[in-house]
Amino acid sequence: NCLSFLRPKDFPTLQNDTFLRAARGEETEHVPVWCMRQAGRYLPEFRESRAGKDFFDTCRSPESCCELTLQPLRRFPFDAAIIFSDILVVPQAMGMDVLMVAGKGPTFPDPLKEPEDLQRLRTAVDVEKELGYVFKAITLTRHKIEGKVPLIGFTGAPWTLMAYMIEGGGSNTYSKAKRWLYRHPEASHMLLRMLTDVIVEYLLGQVAAGAQALQVFDSHAGILGPVQFKDFSLPYLRDIARRVKDKLKETGQDVPMIVFAKDAHYALEDLSQSHYEVVGLDWTIDPRSARERTGGKVSLQGNMDPCALYSPKDRISEIVQKMVEGFGTRGYIANLGHGLYPDMDPENVGAFVEAVHQHSKLMIKQ
Ligand code: CP3
């Protein structure tokens, strides 16, 4: 196996560290930009690579993950890459079955129904054994990316993963998962703690394998109100950052962490004081008010409405200009407010990236 020769060391020198500098609030020559779901179905080459293959089989193939991660970089001058994988590999590692059903999305055939079901989960998860394929994908990609841009690793947040594990898939209300929070708070905290422990190991493994930044996706934060978020999500998000950072500090490593809690605008102040260097924002937050509310304590990432990519290119450029003016060019990473959709025109994605670079270069020179 050719992979066995690739070790997480002797990586090519990083040539473009703009993203990492912006994450730390340092000066840059332009605002860095990447897109959530930049490796995705809007690219014809992605659809071709994925054709006829099971989604999670693809996730388990380091070569496929590497190829899919690199595809968008061949087209656009993104300032970062995100490893192709999925947040639901963590529930799989804990012993749950997850299938990707065409036209329906991720599906758990046997979701958690009652607290007794927690006994079905693995208690001591051997993260290296269960998720080593992600680590291999990261190491391979870090070599193959040739130091062009940093590679981001990621995980789902405990609450978002819990929501999937109970709901069994996507939902409008997440009422089954929220029922647990109201009816079984202790079992909920137990599950959230189990997830947190696996996630900490998983993120540290990703860094050891070569990830240069980490993003935590709390995609379903918005379904919680401020009270439940403070109780069932925020403490775990903070614990993850604290434990990962403490461990990395022991070995002198400094890996920026991004928290993206979608639709949790009510928690912006708290999120900016949760040990993450970067807070990711969805498009429902105004850039200037986000800056005010986070008080310069963190870098910000986001937040153009993905649907703005349906605009003509000159309009995209205007929208980007306003967004960059709103955030300012320091401590800012441009992105969308959520992932790209499959029907989006790759040319408009290119226009978005170009507009960020162009406008921000002019603003920084002044
Ligand atoms: O390019 C990247 O952003 C990296 C890869 C990535 C994927 N999933 C690949 C993927 C990342 C970072 C994720 C994270 C993820 N997965 C999240 C958090 C981000 C968010 O969107 O809020 C969530 C909630 C999931 C769960 C998940 N995986 C869903 C809901 C779906 C179905 C989406 C759909 O449109 O069908 C997936 C499948 C998935 N994960 C796809 C991709 C590219 C599309 C399916 C395919 O390629 O066949």
Side-chain angles (χ1 to χ4, degrees):
N1 184 333
C2 67
L3 280 178
S4 57
F5 296 106
L6 286 172
R7 302 253 176 264
K9 58 175 192 181
D10 305 327
F11 290 129
T13 313
L14 183 59
Q15 293 146 33
N16 173 3
D17 67 346
T18 313
F19 164 85
L20 294 178
R21 278 186 280 142
R24 299 187 179 110
E26 297 165 13
E27 254 177 62
T28 58
E29 295 73 46
H30 64 263
V31 164
V33 54
W34 67 282
C35 288
M36 290 188 270
R37 285 286 163 92
Q38 65 190 32
R41 285 169 294 182
Y42 74 105
L43 290 177
E45 59 270 33
F46 178 95
R47 295 196 296 269
E48 194 174 311
S49 304
R50 288 266 309 106
K53 294 189 195 108
D54 174 72
F55 178 78
F56 287 109
D57 282 347
T58 305
C59 289
R60 281 184 206 100
S61 157
E63 289 87 354
S64 297
C65 293
C66 175
E67 166 60 19
L68 295 171
T69 303
L70 297 179
Q71 281 178 351
L73 300 182
R74 296 189 191 116
R75 277 189 187 246
F76 315 113
F78 282 127
D79 295 286
I82 182 161
I83 190 69
F84 177 87
S85 186
D86 201 84
I87 61 167
L88 299 176
V89 299
V90 166
Q92 287 176 335
M94 294 170 82
M96 294 192 79
D97 287 334
V98 191
L99 311 169
M100 195 59 71
V101 179
K104 191 171 167 218
T107 305
F108 290 65
D110 200 5
L112 304 175
K113 290 198 176 69
E114 295 299 329
E116 301 81 75
D117 292 332
L118 292 180
Q119 289 165 22
R120 287 176 12 216
L121 299 177
R122 286 194 186 107
T123 42
V125 179
D126 184 340
V127 171
E128 188 72 42
K129 174 169 164 261
E130 301 299 332
L131 293 164
Y133 62 88
V134 180
F135 304 154
K136 286 206 177 86
I138 287 173
T139 303
L140 176 63
T141 306
R142 196 49 211 280
H143 281 286
K144 290 277 167 86
I145 214 167
E146 295 172 332
K148 283 193 186 78
V149 292
L151 180 62
I152 306 170
F154 70 89
T155 181
W159 157 247
T160 288
L161 294 178
M162 170 181 171
Y164 274 114
M165 289 160 85
I166 294 172
E167 210 68 39
S171 156
N172 286 329
T173 59
Y174 285 90
S175 57
K176 292 192 182 86
K178 288 181 75 180
R179 174 181 165 270
W180 269 53
L181 303 184
Y182 286 106
R183 201 179 177 106
H184 310 300
E186 276 172 31
S188 296
H189 281 297
M190 186 187 282
L191 174 54
L192 290 164
R193 265 196 303 274
M194 288 171 78
L195 281 160
T196 299
D197 290 345
V198 178
I199 286 166
V200 168
E201 291 281 304
Y202 182 42
L203 290 177
L204 288 168
Q206 292 188 52
V207 173
Q212 290 152 293
L214 297 168
Q215 176 153 326
V216 179
F217 286 93
D218 207 355
S219 303
H220 300 320
I223 206 84
L224 302 173
V227 175
Q228 283 194 317
F229 185 81
K230 255 196 164 74
D231 195 359
F232 295 103
S233 181
L234 188 65
Y236 300 97
L237 290 172
R238 297 180 70 118
D239 194 37
I240 289 166
R242 191 68 275 153
R243 287 163 65 184
V244 168
K245 284 189 181 297
D246 282 350
K247 197 78 198 174
L248 290 178
K249 224 186 264 161
E250 283 173 18
T251 50
Q253 292 178 90
D254 175 18
V255 175
M257 293 181 73
I258 308 165
V259 61
F260 175 63
K262 189 171 176 290
D263 294 321
H265 27 80
Y266 53 78
L268 200 47
E269 285 82 357
D270 280 334
L271 288 167
S272 71
Q273 301 173 53
S274 302
H275 319 302
Y276 291 82
E277 281 80 0
V278 185
V279 174
L281 306 168
D282 64 79
W283 65 91
T284 61
I285 307 178
D286 170 70
R288 282 194 173 79
S289 81
R291 274 290 184 216
E292 276 166 28
R293 291 173 57 195
T294 54
K297 282 191 279 292
V298 285
S299 292
L300 296 175
Q301 174 176 282
N303 73 342
M304 190 174 85
D305 181 355
C307 292
L309 289 176
Y310 295 126
S311 313
K313 286 188 196 135
D314 49 346
R315 182 79 188 108
I316 293 174
S317 174
E318 289 168 16
I319 295 169
V320 166
Q321 184 175 6
K322 282 217 175 67
M323 174 174 77
V324 180
E325 282 169 0
F327 281 110
T329 53
R330 188 79 179 257
Y332 175 48
I333 297 160
N335 203 315
L336 303 174
H338 201 199
L340 285 156
Y341 304 141
D343 68 347
M344 281 169 168
D345 186 345
E347 277 206 28
N348 288 11
V349 175
F352 170 69
V353 174
E354 195 187 307
V356 171
H357 286 163
Q358 241 176 21
H359 290 301
S360 63
K361 270 182 200 155
L362 287 172
M363 286 180 221
I364 289 169
K365 266 198 203 131
Q366 276 168 6

